[in-house]
Amino acid sequence: MSGGPGLESLVDQTISVITNDGRNIVGILKGFDQATNIILDESHERVYSTKEGVQQLVLGLYIIRGDNISIVGELDEELDANLDLSKLRAHPLKPVVH
Amino acid sequence: MLFFSYFKDLVGREVTVELKNDLAIRGTLHSVDQYLNIKLENSRVVDQDNYPHMMSVRNCFIRGSVVRYVQLPPEGVDIELLHDATRREARGG
């Protein structure tokens, strides 16, 4: 009965996850379930700051619990290649408040 | 169930989803599910200058649990229909 949007169409694609604590993790979606738990391969975290460019921290193979996920975005590789992350300055995202 | 059905009828409309982390994302409603998870196409963040975190994202899946508001176009809202559906839901559920 659920139908609707699955993350099915995003499997094996590069995705950008925003977590409830405001982190941004980029990786390849390998699996997911009804609770939105996801498996992310070749993942790295993008840390935004107002003082220096975006830092990328390599994470590897991750499972992210669905409870903690806000957004799963389809990363457009072309658009991403055009970004100069070293020049980007931004405040970190705010955590989710229920 | 009421809102699930309601959102299904709004597929294809432009909406703005405001999240509980104050992020606001505008896009075309692509699909919705029983948890009111929302998939938006052609998405862009409303205040892109302050929130460049999603600049390379054009389609996104938003977890229902993190939505604060869904801003709809006024033409998308049929008050009479909603009233009727609410009454039915309250009566039988």
Side-chain angles (χ1 to χ4, degrees):
Chain A
M1 213 271 129
S2 49
L7 292 171
E8 184 93 47
S9 60
L10 298 176
V11 171
D12 284 324
Q13 307 252 44
T14 304
I15 58 167
S16 176
V17 180
I18 310 280
T19 58
N20 284 4
D21 55 356
R23 281 192 256 209
N24 183 191
I25 302 179
V26 174
I28 301 172
L29 181 65
K30 282 304 184 184
F32 65 95
D33 68 6
Q34 276 290 19
T36 329
N37 297 319
I38 64 178
I39 300 176
L40 218 51
D41 201 0
E42 296 173 38
S43 61
H44 61 269
E45 181 182 342
R46 289 187 182 170
V47 185
Y48 294 80
S49 129
T50 48
K51 304 234 174 70
E52 38 169 34
V54 179
Q55 251 197 309
Q56 305 212 68
L57 307 169
V58 174
L59 303 171
L61 183 59
Y62 254 44
I63 292 180
I64 305 180
R65 198 176 151 92
D67 288 358
N68 214 263
I69 290 172
S70 298
I71 302 173
V72 176
E74 182 179 355
L75 199 78
D76 184 323
E77 311 265 11
E78 273 181 43
L79 289 174
D80 204 49
N82 290 339
L83 284 180
D84 185 355
L85 294 173
S86 60
K87 297 261 168 29
L88 213 48
R89 302 282 183 280
H91 282 288
L93 285 166
K94 287 190 257 190
V96 165
V97 178
H98 287 287
Chain B
M1 272 310 291
L2 192 165
F3 284 98
F4 175 33
S5 308
Y6 181 64
F7 282 129
K8 274 199 285 189
D9 289 338
L10 289 179
V11 165
R13 303 251 193 200
E14 270 279 292
V15 297
T16 300
V17 182
E18 185 178 317
L19 281 68
K20 292 175 180 172
N21 59 3
D22 290 349
L23 205 55
I25 304 174
R26 193 164 176 73
T28 309
L29 185 62
H30 173 270
S31 50
V32 69
D33 68 11
Q34 57 176 331
Y35 306 109
L36 302 187
N37 293 329
I38 289 169
K39 235 187 180 181
L40 292 180
E41 282 195 330
N42 198 18
S43 57
R44 54 247 172 237
V45 175
V46 166
D47 187 3
Q48 200 132 47
D49 297 325
N50 283 323
Y51 297 106
H53 313 71
M54 306 244 306
M55 283 187 83
S56 333
V57 171
R58 278 291 166 273
N59 299 324
C60 62
F61 169 97
I62 302 171
R63 203 167 189 268
S65 57
V66 87
V67 173
R68 186 184 290 141
Y69 305 125
V70 179
Q71 294 160 16
L72 312 164
E75 320 80 65
V77 184
D78 184 343
I79 290 285
E80 291 310 319
L81 213 60
L82 279 172
H83 273 166
D84 289 341
T86 308
R87 258 175 252 124
R88 261 179 275 129
E89 186 98 358
R91 208 178 302 134

